[in-house]
Amino acid sequence: MLLSAFHTAWIGSMLPAQQRFARALSRPRETQLAKLAAHLRAHEATAYGRAHGFESVLRAHDSLGAWQRRVPVARWGSIEPWIDRIAQGEPRVLTVEPPRCFERSGGSTSATKLLPITPRFLSEMGESTSSWLVDLHRRHPLIGKRSYWSISPVARAPQRTPGGIPIGMSDDAEYFGSIARDVIARSMAVPSHVASAPDVDTWRRETVRHLLSAGDLALISVWSPSFLTLLLEWTEANLDALLGTIPVRRAESIRRGLDREGRFVVEALWPELALISCWADGPARALLPALKCFVARTTLQPKGLLATEGVVSVPLGDRESAPIAITSHFLEWIDLDHPTRAPLLSDALRVGGTYSPLLTTGAGLARYHLADVVRVVGMERATPRVRFEGKLDRVSDVAGEKLHASFVERCVDDALRATVGDTRFVLLAPRARPAGYRLYVESDADEGLLSKLAHRLDRELAASHPYSYARDLGQLGPIDARRVARGEARYLDAMIARGQRAGDVKPSRLDAENGWDVIFGVPS
């Protein structure tokens, strides 16, 4: 009863933000121009604001035009020196308010990017998460029930920047306001201190023990589907021993659930589970079949596009797209069909078009190119609904071919459909000798079909002139395929070894690094 009361009060506290978002969906341009003006006022006195004339932009008759003329599109290389100054302890560089902490980017191409997290930025994130959570609680019976929010092993000792600013948040709940954090802490099935386990084995065992003990678990929120799939696979393999570590009545309830369901599925473990929230777009789509093997009836909700740098879209309902987060940050969009034209505001996007977002946020990022690709698939009133398609900035270049991840992902999908169908895991990566690419595949298909898959992918990639040219010159040999076992688990281990947290690892069909033969244990 007490948890229900806390939940009800929490949802009530988020209603104003949800109502603002609901109203803004009908007037995206007006809402976004107001966000731009608010950003200019809040950041004109910073070093970055003075260097780029924020004050004059604010006074201009056409502030949007002046903004796009005066403020350059920022990529990591151009913004990193400013962030280094903040990390050294210099005040008022990108924001007037000091950062609460730094957070590591969860991107697969680099584990070393540090991004400042400020109170204003967290407030902006709250505008979106509030809309999501209110919608979630209206659609599903979650009040008074416990939840699992992604908690992955920290895998490193607590750190600070040279200026003494903490690096890293312990779990997703820290992105919410103080009331929300208190409620989430009370309803957590797995306490946040589990993230501080001394090793991955201890973390996994303690995570699963707490989850199995939570008979009233109603919500699971993770990032990659494979994160949950691997937890469930390990749970199934060790279930008898695990049931001996939880209360007897709870263990008996799980055994009855398994008898009722006839197989190991989440509904047998947690009969009140209403929803699983996870990535379901772009390369994550290929990871859903493995997770669905453990799910009989529970709703799977695709997450919107949310990055360490900011939020782009807000999941509403269970559709495979989400409206743009127009009440959070100021967003501009590069039209990928016309990349040299001035970026567009959200109201100007067309259904069917592909775009890449520029974020201007309360953390001080201004026109930061997130390098994600989204497709507009519909409308929510006057606001576009978008679906994540892939990355622009993950590139492999062995011999000048410059293969972009978003292109590779489309080619892999087409080649799979034409040959072996669904696979449990697939990754394309450079091969040293002879120079070229190797496709690592976890599938029951025979060797003949795997060879056809590799050949078909080679043809699909040849639609890119640089790749075709490198193949014609003999700089790249034909793609070959290698069968792997436990592909997703080994991929996850490799990403953790690169410095990423398990729960933040983003799925990809392309990796630009060598060394995967050793990781997957296949002959060269």
Side-chain angles (χ1 to χ4, degrees), residues 377-389:
V377 297
M379 302 295 291
E380 189 79 21
R381 300 181 195 171
T383 300
R385 293 185 72 104
V386 298
R387 183 181 64 217
F388 175 66
E389 296 281 293

Side-chain angles (χ1 to χ4, degrees), residues 312-328:
V312 175
S313 64
V314 184
L316 295 182
D318 305 324
R319 294 160 63 181
E320 292 186 357
S321 63
I324 294 170
I326 53 175
T327 57
S328 291

